[in-house]
């Protein structure tokens, strides 16, 4: 636990505490009465209510739509499955400002629905909910589907042979086994929607505002750091309470499971019902996920002769100090470093949390690892600038600051992806290896690693994808001569003119392609990692 504790203490707790203290202190005196004053404002209470309501609705809708997809990807084998799995993950890594813009092109004024049927949803909460499902669909499919694919189907078949119906067998055998993975996916989706920023800012307009949007507005537009600090504390408290409930629920459901290689559980659909389910999931993916992506591609090709793409190769001398195309290489470099950091920190934390002799303090750290997903990225970004500006931690002028911020968001995905699998490993296997004389390192290498290798690859893919699309904190700390793709897209979207808009869509399309290729390579590597039954 030494490295994870030090990492989160220095690069998360310290910067957040610094920015909150800056907002709540006046001439060295704490102004705690400001908390009650801010919460008493009717507009702030409305923001709190809408933030909670839309997060609950978005999470429920995402689970309803994505759980059938998790089953299909886990249990069915069909042509193009690996490619489709990579495509499904692409929306999750897109910057939220791009997701909002894509849905605005679909449901806003002059959008696809407006042109075809005269229907506009940009002034309703449905646009926000659908955009959140689009963004978080992959979280449920990959988190729940990753464990579902490794559950031994013979356990459910045995219950059915004893006379249970298919529904009873699934409810009594499979669902309890999937409980930790479903809880982890639910938690991540709720946290992402609870702290939604770009999607709500673009689609919500002046009518709808979440805590994250309000923190940004108070910080960047009104320059009221005290109100922003209070809202940050409220968000922090709410997320902490949610994580505490989640940790208690997961501990009550922990159990050892029989895990098999995922290649043994997937098969061709059989019967009209399974083919109908596959068709329904594919239709959902096409309408909900691929259509917005197609809009981005269509917008990027609006200029003849790939004009928007060619414009990316030259600096405009204004916003960018370098050609926008260089953001691609910058993003890849940052994402690789951030992934290595996230896998190292998250892997060590997950291993420590699964020890049977772990104390309450270690188990409590499980919930704290998720806090970066629930704390305002705006707060973290400003905190980096304020806290990490003096020796021995004067990192503002160094390139490592960006991957460190990205890794903060990647670590929770590594932990949440690996924990259900690590907790499902029968501890008696480790004890047997130790009795036979194996050292702790050899026990991990010979027992744990073969079982969690697939989860490790999935978590690395998630960390890489999240790093590519991280925007909230990166926008404040990325150097002007080394912008990332999301930062470049946001700057182009913030400038008037069709050329800037087209370049933003072109960069977004490049980001989609890069992510799809990286995830497809990951699928190939994972598909080649078939070692038989564990």
């Amino acid at each position: 636990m030494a490295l994870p504790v030090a990492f989160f203490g220095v690069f998360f707790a310290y910067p957040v505490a610094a920015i909150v203290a800056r907002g709540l202190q006046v001439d060295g005196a704490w102004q705690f009465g400001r908390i009650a004053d801010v919460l008493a404002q009717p507009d702030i209470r409305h923001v709190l209510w809408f933030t909670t309501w839309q997060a609950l609705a978005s999470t429920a809708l995402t689970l309803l739509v994505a759980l059938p997809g998790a089953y299909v990807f886990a249990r069915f084998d069909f042509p193009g499955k690996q490619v489709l799995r990579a495509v499904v993950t692409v929306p999750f890594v897109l910057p939220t400002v791009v997701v909002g813009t894509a849905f605005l092109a679909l449901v806003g004024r002059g959008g696809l629905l407006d042109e075809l049927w005269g229907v506009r949803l940009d002034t309703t909460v449905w646009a926000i909910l659908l955009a959140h499902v689009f963004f978080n669909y992959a979280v449920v499919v990959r988190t729940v589907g990753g464990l579902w694919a490794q559950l031994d189907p013979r356990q459910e078949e045995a219950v059915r042979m004893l006379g249970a119906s298919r529904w009873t067998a699934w409810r009594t055998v499979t669902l309890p086994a999937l409980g930790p993975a479903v809880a982890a996916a639910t938690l991540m989706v709720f946290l992402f929607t609870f702290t939604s920023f770009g999607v709500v800012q673009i689609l919500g307009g002046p009518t709808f505002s979440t805590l994250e949007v309000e923190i940004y507005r108070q910080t960047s537009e009104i320059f009221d750091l005290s109100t922003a600090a209070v809202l940050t504390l409220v968000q922090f408290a709410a997320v902490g309470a949610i994580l505490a409930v989640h940790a208690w629920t997961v501990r009550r459901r922990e159990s050892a499971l029989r895990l098999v290689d995922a290649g043994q559980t997937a098969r061709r659909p059989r019967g009209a019902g399974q083919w109908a389910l596959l068709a329904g999931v594919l239709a959902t993916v096409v309408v909900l996920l691929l259509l917005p992506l197609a809009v981005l591609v269509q917008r990027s090709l609006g200029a003849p002769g790939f004009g928007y793409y060619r414009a990316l190769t030259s600096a405009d001398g204004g916003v960018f100090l370098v050609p926008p195309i260089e953001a691609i290489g910058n993003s890849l470099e940052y994402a690789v470093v951030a992934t290595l950091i996230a896998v190292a920190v998250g892997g060590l934390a997950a291993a420590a949390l699964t020890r049977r002799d772990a104390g309450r303090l270690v188990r409590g750290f499980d919930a704290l690892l998720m806090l970066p997903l629930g704390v305002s990225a705006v707060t973290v970004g400003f905190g980096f600038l304020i806290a990490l500006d003096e020796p021995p931690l004067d990192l503002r002028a160094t390139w490592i600051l960006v991957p460190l911020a990205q890794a903060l968001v990647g670590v929770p995905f590594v932990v949440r992806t690996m924990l259900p699998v690590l907790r499902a490993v029968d501890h008696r296997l480790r004890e047997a290896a130790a009795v036979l004389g194996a050292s702790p390192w050899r026990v991990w290498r010979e027992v744990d690693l073969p079982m969690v290798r697939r989860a490790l690859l999935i978590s690395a893919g998630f960390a890489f994808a999240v790093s590519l699309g991280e925007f909230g904190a990166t926008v404040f700390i990325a150097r002007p001569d080394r912008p990332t793709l999301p930062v470049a897209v946001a700057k182009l979207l913030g400038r008037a003119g069709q050329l800037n808009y087209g370049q933003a869509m072109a960069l977004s399309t490049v980001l989609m392609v890069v992510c799809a290729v990286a995830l497809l390579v990951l699928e190939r590597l994972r598909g080649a990692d078939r070692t038989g039954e564990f």
Side-chain angles (χ1 to χ4, degrees), residues 311-312 314-327 330 471 475 478-497 499-501 503-504 507:
L312 296 176
S314 62
D316 59 5
V319 174
F320 296 105
L321 301 180
V322 296
I325 197 69
E326 293 190 12
N330 298 335
F471 170 72
V475 69
R479 292 163 51 181
D481 59 337
R482 287 182 61 89
T484 63
L485 276 170
V487 172
V489 170
K491 287 185 177 181
L492 288 169
L493 286 175
R495 304 183 68 191
L499 178 61
N500 292 318
Y501 179 81
Q503 289 185 82
L507 272 183

Side-chain angles (χ1 to χ4, degrees), residues 2-33:
L3 180 60
V5 169
F7 179 79
F8 275 85
V10 173
F11 298 112
F12 176 70
Y14 176 48
V16 171
I19 189 65
V20 171
R22 178 72 64 91
L24 291 181
Q25 282 186 335
V26 177
D27 297 329
W30 290 92
Q31 304 294 321
F32 292 109

Side-chain angles (χ1 to χ4, degrees), residues 103-116:
F103 271 81
L104 193 64
L106 282 176
V107 303
R109 181 185 300 274
L112 185 61
L113 294 183
D114 192 16
E115 293 178 354
L116 295 179

Side-chain angles (χ1 to χ4, degrees), residues 192-216:
F192 276 122
T193 54
F194 189 80
T195 60
S196 183
F197 174 59
V199 169
V200 179
Q201 187 180 39
I202 293 176
L203 297 178
T207 306
F208 304 109
S209 178
T210 59
L211 273 173
E212 188 83 0
V213 174
E214 190 64 21
I215 290 172
Y216 177 81

Side-chain angles (χ1 to χ4, degrees), residues 269-303:
R270 293 180 293 188
Q274 292 187 356
W275 280 107
L277 177 60
L278 176 59
V281 169
L282 293 178
T284 300
V285 170
V286 169
V287 174
L288 185 62
L289 304 184
L290 296 185
L291 187 58
L293 300 182
V295 170
L296 291 181
V297 176
Q298 185 270 331
R299 294 288 193 270
S300 71
L301 298 174

Side-chain angles (χ1 to χ4, degrees), residues 142-144 146-148 150-151 177-185 188 246 250 253-257 259 350 354 366 412-426 430 451-452 455:
R142 298 187 75 95
T143 304
V144 179
L147 180 59
W148 207 335
Q150 292 185 270
L151 293 181
L178 290 174
V182 174
M188 286 189 286
H246 170 265
V250 169
R253 293 184 176 182
E254 288 180 7
S255 61
L257 307 174
L259 302 180
T354 54
D366 181 9
F413 285 93
V414 175
V415 175
R416 285 295 146 212
T417 304
M418 293 185 64
L419 267 183
V421 178
L422 279 172
R423 284 171 169 161
V425 176
D426 194 337
R430 301 188 184 102
M451 294 187 177
V452 303

